[in-house]
Amino acid sequence: WVKKYNGHSSLKTYKGEAKAMTKGRSTTWQERIDIVLYCLAHHHDYQKTADQYQVSYQQVYQWVKKYEVGGQDALQDGRGEKKLLRS
């Protein structure tokens, strides 16, 4: 199993469907907005959106949830940025 996971091979789920276990790709802020809007326009079809934009289902799901709570600004990638201290 580990060898197949690391090699990004397909594994069969219990339902017999083949799913590739690959990492999501890097996206820009504008791409994330476009992906979320596509997903919302297609009635929260996360799998269709993930397939369309070649990103992971989990990424799409998280981005939609963030967007619904905080809008477009919530989709910005804050990794690596220093947090501002407020006094």
Side-chain angles (χ1 to χ4, degrees):
W1 179 88
V2 173
K3 192 175 194 179
K4 285 189 178 201
Y5 177 85
N6 290 335
H8 303 295
S9 297
S10 293
L11 294 176
K12 294 203 181 238
T13 62
Y14 293 111
K15 295 180 182 178
E17 302 166 357
K19 299 280 184 188
M21 295 188 305
T22 57
K23 293 182 180 179
R25 65 177 179 83
S26 296
T27 56
T28 65
W29 180 53
Q30 186 59 51
E31 280 181 302
R32 289 190 290 274
I33 293 169
D34 293 342
I35 290 168
V36 167
L37 295 177
Y38 179 90
C39 186
L40 294 175
H42 290 88
H43 311 289
H44 288 81
D45 190 344
Y46 303 110
Q47 189 60 56
K48 180 178 181 176
T49 305
D51 293 342
Q52 175 73 22
Y53 287 92
Q54 298 177 349
V55 294
S56 73
Y57 178 100
Q58 188 62 30
Q59 280 181 316
V60 175
Y61 181 84
Q62 291 298 323
W63 292 333
V64 170
K65 294 304 171 195
K66 286 180 181 180
Y67 180 85
E68 289 175 337
V69 172
Q72 292 181 355
D73 290 339
L75 298 176
Q76 290 198 25
D77 187 1
R79 292 179 296 173
E81 294 181 14
K82 292 182 181 179
K83 292 185 179 181
L84 298 175
L85 298 176
R86 296 179 189 200
S87 45

